[in-house]
Amino acid sequence: MAATLGPSGWWQRWRRRVSAGNGSRMLLLLLLLGSGQGPRQVGAGQTFEYLKREHSLSKPYQGVGTGSSSLWNLMGNAMVMTQYIRLTPDMQSKQGALWNRVPCFLRDWELQVHFKIHGQGKKNLHGDGLAIWYTKDRMQPGPVFGNMDKFVGLGVFVDTYPNEEKQQEAQKRRYSPGVQRVFPYISAMVNNGSLSYDHERDGRPTELGGCTAIVRNLHYDTFLVIRYVKRHLTIMMDIDGKHEWRDCIEVPGVRLPRGYYFGTSSITGDLSDNHDVISLKLFELTVERTPEEEKLHRDVFLPSVDNMKLPEVTAPLPPLSGLALFLIVFFSLVSSVFAIVIGIILYNKWQDQSRKRFY
């Protein structure tokens, strides 16, 4: 099902209308927009969205760097260019990431990602793709599209290489028609830190859903939107150059804690591609809730999905401090000495009683 494109398309349509109108209409529009963070009604219900600049990124990419004063931090081989941020170049064994420094405490939100994947590789000779993250930890390099495995939070993957299919071909086995997936492929995963992303099977065992997304080497803009409203996760894409959203993934009952970080990462191996991010725009969504929904939608502390069993995570015990360790050893020694003394006293009394009985 198609839906009208978000703020960028809306702005262009209104700009054309205003240019043909009078100055009063322009003044009204400016008053509504303010600094770019004014409310805009979306959908048929009472839902408004506000651009959150502290979680957004666009050209000319101010506030991007490696210092503590930057809103966005680069990692690995990621580079800031004039028209995009390149996570990885079209070279083997590269890894890069871009992370927001500000934790997000929004209850309902929508993240719009403008990206581009392109390179010299022919069909199935390119890889590996990119990921968009909302996770507890940031700036942690690893094997999952450039981020750590067993992450805590949400990962959305734009996977461009079919590892499982190639293994099936190598073993001279074939998929049944209802099982095979067409790549590039978008999938989503919620993790509480207990699950590993299965590269050999392209994340199939832990995915919440997915869809085919032909996004490589296109001559028009490609977009992805992640919407989280009332514990309902929706992922849509605009990859056909029609300025319309197309449904990809929809999962109810997704419980994500607040205070996590947004980021994006990419990795290349023996195969490679250019993985570019043009913009990341986060919108706060204000929606009405009934009293019953308010009770149901209380804050959670670990990510989970209703009707999906995630293995429980046993939190490691915190290491003992030097003082605590000293006190434990000291009282253990005192207890041992006390027990020995009591034992000696009891033994002597027993001997005395034995001698009295003897005489």
Side-chain angles (χ1 to χ4, degrees), residues 10 48 92 111 150 166 211 244 260 269 310 321 330 352:
W10 171 85
F48 293 84
Q92 293 179 337
L111 179 66
K150 294 189 175 181
K166 293 304 177 184
C211 67
E244 291 180 346
Y260 284 10
L310 295 178
S321 64
F330 175 75
D352 290 342

Side-chain angles (χ1 to χ4, degrees), residues 57-64 80-83 85 278:
L57 178 69
S58 59
K59 293 181 283 189
Y61 306 120
Q62 297 177 350
V64 179
V80 179
M81 315 298 280
T82 56
Q83 299 298 317
I85 293 178
I278 293 91

Side-chain angles (χ1 to χ4, degrees), residues 336-348:
S336 300
V337 172
F338 183 74
I340 292 172
V341 171
I342 295 297
I344 292 173
I345 293 173
L346 293 175
Y347 178 74
N348 289 334

Side-chain angles (χ1 to χ4, degrees), residues 323-335:
L323 177 60
L325 185 61
F326 169 77
L327 292 175
I328 290 174
V329 173
F330 175 75
F331 284 111
S332 298
L333 290 175
V334 170
S335 300

